[in-house]
Amino acid sequence: MLPTIVILGRPNVGKSSLFNRLVGRKIAIVDDTPGVTRDRKEAEARIAGRDVRLLDTAGLEEAAPETIQGRMRASSEAALREADLALFVMDARTGLTPADRAFATWLRRQSVPVILVANKTEGRFGGQAAFEAYELGLGDPVAISAEHGDGMGELHDAIREHLPAEAEEQEDPDRPLRLAIIGRPNAGKSTLLNALLGQERMITGPEPGLTRDSVAVEWRDETGALVRLVDTAGLRKKARIEQALEKMSAAASIAALKECEVAILVVDALLGMEEQELRLARLAEREGRAVVIALNKWDAVEDRAAARRRIEDVLTASLAQMRGITVVPLSAQTGRGVEKLMPAVRETYAHWNRRIPTGELNRWFEAMLTRHPPPLSEGRRIKLRYATMPKARPPTVVVFGTRAEQLPEDYRRYLVNGFREAFAMPGVPIRLQLRGTTNPYAESDT
């Protein structure tokens, strides 16, 4: 199970802004009106090098249990009971209030460790305003600005110190694999979901746009593993999305893509890979999601060899950043070939989830540098020293060296493609990050 972090505080101190900042995207609605958040929001986040479960709660207010505010407080207290760590947020710009002091007293009696977060400390005197928070007796306050991102490094460090010890990395056997079925309208997404489930779960038909919202279904696949599958509304070209309902459907589809681990891109084999499918695949790559292509309506294709060539040509020319992506020809209508889809998804997920040991990674890295040394930058050498892989999901390689950040784009592609081929990671996005190192002899380093 992932460590759980709950964000608490009175209304309008910036809890939802902090939640969005830590998650890395806007999930919770943020407004100056107090009490916008009423129900708990939940998302997975990467904080201090750890995957965590993050809970955003309603504002803590003194109120009778039967009122909305009372029920909101009860929900927040329930969230605290299941948390490993609490972030108690106060507004440094406003200063301490009687409510802050009352809730701090309550928190000190709980068994959950607490980090005191002084928010809205941007500006010249913001850090000084945070000192008032010492009165709460919750330890050293961490001064941040959730809106501007100030102080987030210090907050990550504080969270790292308070999280429970990391157990051996093991997959929770009951943690579902999160999939999203994406594609243009009428490509056969809902029919494919029905074929995977073996039942008529979704309404299907020849009319495009029958599915209007993202629909999540959990089931166990042929291996007995739990899968959470989201069928999304078909995404048309942006210029053609006019109605308000269709705009909301498109937003829900994109949100489902961001939350999944593997995206199944359904392509109509009779139409092939067009710009709309490529846009969806690029969006998945930008979000760091693995992709498997389900080439649907394969039973209606007459020249299958030519159809495969066209697909491969488009992928090679226009989706090089996900080279080797798996394509599964199938017919969702007849069920033919559908049994090959989930094994392909599992294999792609394993690639996306794989980490390479540092020693093995650096042996590969040295071989790549020997084969093709980095080029000069403005007449000076770029010295690449070593590489690490701090995370998977997606695979992320960090390269350190003098002037590493000046590495030209073609050499970056050389490293990414070499990494993909050496460690057999087809069809998954690979992140390459470059970190310059301080060189005291920089003047003579030519």
Side-chain angles (χ1 to χ4, degrees):
M1 293 290 291
L2 295 179
T4 299
I5 301 174
V6 62
I7 302 175
L8 301 167
R10 61 182 175 81
N12 217 34
V13 295
K15 298 184 300 299
S16 293
S17 295
L18 177 58
F19 177 82
N20 289 339
R21 176 69 63 178
L22 290 172
V23 172
R25 56 190 183 278
K26 291 184 178 179
I27 295 178
I29 297 173
V30 176
D31 192 80
D32 289 335
T33 306
V36 169
T37 302
R38 288 184 171 177
D39 297 299
R40 278 184 273 170
K41 270 278 188 194
E42 178 178 331
E44 288 187 15
R46 184 79 176 177
I47 300 176
R50 298 276 298 276
D51 291 322
V52 302
R53 175 173 166 247
L54 195 64
L55 303 180
D56 180 28
T57 64
L60 290 168
E61 296 183 77
E62 293 284 4
E66 66 275 7
T67 64
I68 291 177
Q69 289 78 11
R71 296 197 296 274
M72 288 159 58
R73 175 173 176 171
S75 175
S76 298
E77 292 175 354
L80 179 65
R81 286 193 293 272
E82 62 181 89
D84 299 292
L85 175 65
L87 306 183
F88 182 59
V89 185
M90 56 84 63
D91 185 338
R93 189 185 303 159
T94 302
L96 291 180
T97 67
D100 289 322
R101 292 184 172 90
F103 291 122
T105 300
W106 170 69
L107 278 172
R108 288 199 303 271
R109 294 197 297 263
Q110 310 305 311
S111 59
V112 179
V114 178
I115 294 175
L116 177 58
V117 180
N119 191 27
K120 305 182 186 180
T121 60
E122 65 272 12
R124 185 176 178 184
F125 300 106
Q128 296 178 18
F131 288 129
E132 187 183 2
Y134 277 102
E135 289 183 34
L136 298 178
L138 293 172
D140 297 335
V142 180
I144 70 162
S145 169
E147 182 179 355
H148 298 93
D150 300 342
M152 298 310 294
E154 290 80 358
L155 181 58
H156 278 240
D157 291 341
I159 290 173
R160 181 187 295 110
E161 293 176 7
H162 285 82
L163 284 179
E166 192 166 12
E168 289 293 320
E169 287 192 18
Q170 294 181 345
E171 278 290 323
D172 182 350
D174 246 5
R175 180 182 180 276
L177 170 62
R178 300 196 304 272
L179 305 182
I181 298 180
I182 61 174
R184 69 167 68 202
N186 216 31
K189 299 182 299 300
S190 295
T191 306
L192 177 58
L193 184 144
N194 289 342
L196 288 168
L197 296 181
Q199 58 177 279
E200 293 297 311
R201 175 64 174 77
M202 300 293 295
I203 298 173
T204 61
E207 305 88 353
L210 282 177
T211 302
R212 285 184 162 179
D213 199 358
S214 297
V215 179
V217 180
E218 285 197 359
W219 101 103
R220 293 193 182 273
D221 65 11
E222 67 281 357
T223 68
L226 191 62
V227 179
R228 185 176 189 271
L229 184 58
V230 179
D231 181 27
T232 65
L235 285 173
R236 297 197 296 168
K237 292 181 180 178
K238 194 172 183 180
R240 295 182 181 176
I241 299 176
E242 299 170 353
Q243 299 179 4
L245 177 60
E246 191 171 2
K247 289 180 180 178
M248 288 188 288
S249 295
S253 298
I254 293 171
L257 176 60
K258 291 180 177 181
E259 291 296 325
C260 77
E261 294 167 322
V262 181
I264 300 174
L265 174 58
V266 181
V267 175
D268 187 329
L270 298 173
L271 299 176
M273 286 279 291
E274 298 186 350
E275 183 55 38
Q276 182 66 352
E277 284 78 17
L278 289 172
R279 190 172 73 87
L280 287 169
R282 291 184 188 120
L283 177 59
E285 191 277 335
R286 192 162 64 245
E287 293 296 330
R289 306 303 175 227
V291 176
V292 172
I293 293 177
L295 196 56
N296 193 26
K297 307 180 184 180
W298 191 243
D299 53 326
V301 176
E302 294 182 1
D303 190 344
R304 295 181 177 180
R308 282 301 295 261
R309 280 197 303 273
R310 285 194 296 272
I311 290 288
E312 296 298 337
D313 288 346
V314 171
L315 292 176
T316 301
S318 304
L319 209 61
Q321 64 269 40
M322 297 182 75
R323 182 177 296 179
I325 192 168
T326 301
V327 179
V328 181
L330 54 83
S331 170
Q333 187 70 47
T334 67
R336 197 164 188 177
V338 173
E339 75 282 355
K340 299 177 182 177
L341 182 59
M342 283 308 298
V345 166
R346 290 280 179 196
E347 184 178 4
T348 300
Y349 173 76
H351 296 323
W352 182 76
N353 205 33
R354 182 183 173 201
R355 287 183 66 172
I356 308 301
T358 301
E360 186 178 354
L361 179 67
N362 277 282
R363 286 191 291 275
W364 160 80
F365 186 57
E366 290 170 7
M368 293 291 286
L369 298 182
T370 301
R371 189 179 307 139
H372 292 295
L376 299 178
S377 173
E378 299 177 351
R380 307 176 75 184
R381 289 178 59 194
I382 298 175
K383 284 189 175 181
L384 302 183
R385 303 186 185 281
Y386 63 96
T388 64
M389 188 175 176
K391 66 183 287 288
R393 308 165 65 90
T396 301
V397 179
V398 182
V399 171
F400 294 84
T402 305
R403 288 186 291 280
E405 67 280 358
Q406 298 176 17
L407 207 61
E409 187 60 36
D410 57 349
Y411 199 85
R412 299 182 192 205
R413 285 196 300 270
Y414 163 69
L415 291 176
V416 169
N417 291 335
F419 177 85
R420 188 190 305 280
E421 293 170 9
F423 299 108
M425 292 191 180
V428 299
I430 293 172
R431 301 286 187 256
L432 178 68
Q433 299 175 1
L434 303 169
R435 298 284 186 269
T437 57
T438 303
N439 181 7
Y441 305 105
E443 292 300 318
S444 61
D445 185 22
T446 57

